[in-house]
Amino acid sequence: MTEEENVTQTPEQAPAPDLGKFQSVDALMRAYRELEAEFTRRSQRLRALEASAPHDEASAPHDADAEEGAAQGADSEALLRAVRGNEEVRSRIVGEYLAALPGVPLMAGTGAGVTAPAARASTLKQAGAMALGYLKHQKHGG
């Protein structure tokens, strides 16, 4: 091939870049923008936490995972305070927990305890025996 033929020949198309799991450059750009927005939100949250935290640099965590854990801990504390202030939510959580336990629950969903049926004497002899048992029970500190 002469030099003139090289110049007049159409250049080959450049190979398409490897976009990994993305189907197109537009999808890659959209994912990048979403990631950038999330990074901005986390940076703002971190700045707010740093501003509200004591300024003791020796005790401040420098690990990103520890900082995120602190943010989640703050969210958990706020949620715990909200639940403690709402009796209906608290009762529902306890009820669902008790329902999930294996075996026979000791409390119903309303909080009423399980009671034994009342014992009734049908004769004077049974009544005397019940009274004597009651008095003996009281005497022994029961």
Side-chain angles (χ1 to χ4, degrees):
M1 219 185 258
T2 66
E3 188 175 320
E4 187 176 305
E5 289 175 344
N6 284 338
V7 171
T8 58
Q9 191 177 16
T10 59
E12 291 184 21
Q13 297 256 340
D18 181 21
L19 300 176
K21 66 179 183 176
F22 300 100
Q23 299 297 323
S24 67
V25 174
D26 291 335
L28 177 62
M29 286 302 297
R30 191 170 38 254
Y32 174 78
R33 286 187 192 107
E34 290 171 6
L35 184 62
E36 186 178 34
E38 179 63 24
F39 178 76
T40 302
R41 281 191 295 274
R42 286 182 184 232
S43 296
Q44 290 170 347
R45 186 177 353 152
L46 177 61
R47 237 179 278 125
L49 286 171
E50 286 175 346
S52 66
H55 295 289
D56 182 15
E57 289 295 322
S59 65
H62 294 287
D63 187 1
D65 292 335
E67 291 168 355
E68 186 174 331
Q72 289 175 349
D75 292 343
S76 296
E77 284 299 316
L79 182 60
L80 180 63
R81 282 192 302 275
V83 168
R84 282 183 178 159
N86 190 330
E87 184 64 33
E88 182 181 333
V89 172
R90 199 166 53 185
S91 295
R92 184 173 171 193
I93 289 171
V94 170
E96 289 176 4
Y97 172 74
L98 291 175
L101 292 176
V104 178
L106 297 178
M107 295 182 68
T110 60
V114 178
T115 60
R120 294 200 168 97
S122 57
T123 65
L124 189 56
K125 186 175 182 180
Q126 286 178 347
M130 286 175 62
L132 187 59
Y134 176 75
L135 292 173
K136 283 183 181 178
H137 182 70
Q138 288 297 320
K139 185 177 181 179
H140 294 295

